[in-house]
Amino acid sequence: MRIISGKLKGRRINPPKNLPVRPTTDMSKESLFNILNNHFNFSELTILDLFAGTGNISYEFASRGAESIVSVDGDYGCVNFIKKTAKEFELEINPIKSDVFKFLERHQGTYDIIFADPPYDFTQEQFEKIVLDIFAQELLSEEGMLVVEHSKFTKLEHLPNFSFEKSYGGSVFTFFEFEHEESDEDETEDYEDEFDTEED
């Protein structure tokens, strides 16, 4: 596993083998960040990384200049690894050990990008609850984007604020945004085209 872009491009991440994680692959990660890169200036972002695991996604945001990153995971080993790696790489990442559902219930804050990568064996209801809780708690900024990674067997396009989804291998990224004017919808089509280009 490696950081694919930014000031730490090429740096390898070697988490312990006993961590209960399924990291987003480098190829999927690159395609995801191509979309986000067309929509955001990373240096100005506040990030919430849910089910952060090894911190794979958090490091990518930090490498690209994001300076406000909260990484949440329920496993002590994952949180400790993120703390260790953030210190080693001198990254401003705030790891929090918490059950994600409990975190969403009580947390107050607003984020420009929220990325959630729950275990693929979560139920449909659990995936839906993540999305619904984020919007109910008003954790996403007005111009922000929620991205949920899941398997092809989970369907989220029926939920409020659904924007679009893209498949890559066995993974699907589903994007949620508040409703925009028509010009913004046209831009969303451009992001999808960029994703398609990277898959070729």
Side-chain angles (χ1 to χ4, degrees), residues 88-102:
E88 177 185 348
F89 291 169
E90 299 181 343
L91 302 175
E92 294 295 327
I93 298 174
N94 178 23
I96 296 177
K97 197 280 177 187
S98 176
D99 174 85
V100 169
F101 291 106
K102 292 180 179 178

Side-chain angles (χ1 to χ4, degrees), residues 15-183:
K17 294 182 179 180
N18 61 345
L19 294 184
V21 298
R22 175 199 36 77
T24 302
T25 66
D26 288 349
M27 293 182 67
S28 296
K29 191 167 56 172
E30 186 168 7
S31 296
L32 168 65
F33 274 90
N34 281 336
I35 288 181
L36 297 178
N37 190 57
N38 284 326
H39 194 69
F40 296 99
N41 179 350
F42 290 112
S43 65
E44 301 175 354
L45 298 184
T46 54
I47 309 295
L48 178 59
D49 185 6
L50 301 174
F51 306 94
T54 63
N56 187 19
I57 296 296
S58 293
Y59 308 140
E60 290 293 341
F61 279 115
S63 181
R64 288 164 167 79
E67 296 183 352
S68 178
I69 303 169
V70 175
S71 306
V72 183
D73 200 275
D75 183 80
Y76 278 112
C78 290
V79 172
N80 288 336
F81 179 73
I82 295 172
K83 287 181 180 178
K84 176 183 175 182
T85 306
K87 182 178 180 179
E88 177 185 348
F89 291 169
E90 299 181 343
L91 302 175
E92 294 295 327
I93 298 174
N94 178 23
I96 296 177
K97 197 280 177 187
S98 176
D99 174 85
V100 169
F101 291 106
K102 292 180 179 178
F103 175 87
L104 293 177
E105 287 176 5
R106 65 175 183 265
H107 186 65
Q108 294 182 343
T110 305
Y111 298 89
D112 299 306
I113 296 179
I114 301 176
F115 180 82
D117 184 11
Y120 278 15
D121 61 359
F122 264 23
T123 65
Q124 175 75 27
E125 290 73 21
Q126 286 174 305
F127 271 97
E128 292 179 3
K129 180 172 173 54
I130 293 165
V131 176
L132 296 174
D133 284 357
I134 286 170
F135 284 103
Q137 295 296 104
E138 299 181 344
L139 297 178
L140 189 67
S141 67
E142 193 65 30
E143 299 298 323
M145 182 176 285
L146 165 63
V147 186
V148 182
E149 181 176 349
H150 55 90
S151 78
K152 62 183 179 180
F153 302 106
T154 299
K155 305 299 181 183
L156 301 177
E157 66 271 16
H158 61 286
L159 295 177
N161 300 306
F162 168 80
S163 182
F164 63 98
E165 68 176 28
K166 281 296 172 181
S167 301
Y168 197 89
S171 299
V172 180
F173 294 112
T174 298
F175 297 79
F176 297 86
E177 299 175 88
F178 291 106
E179 290 187 7
H180 298 292
E181 299 298 327
E182 184 174 348
S183 59

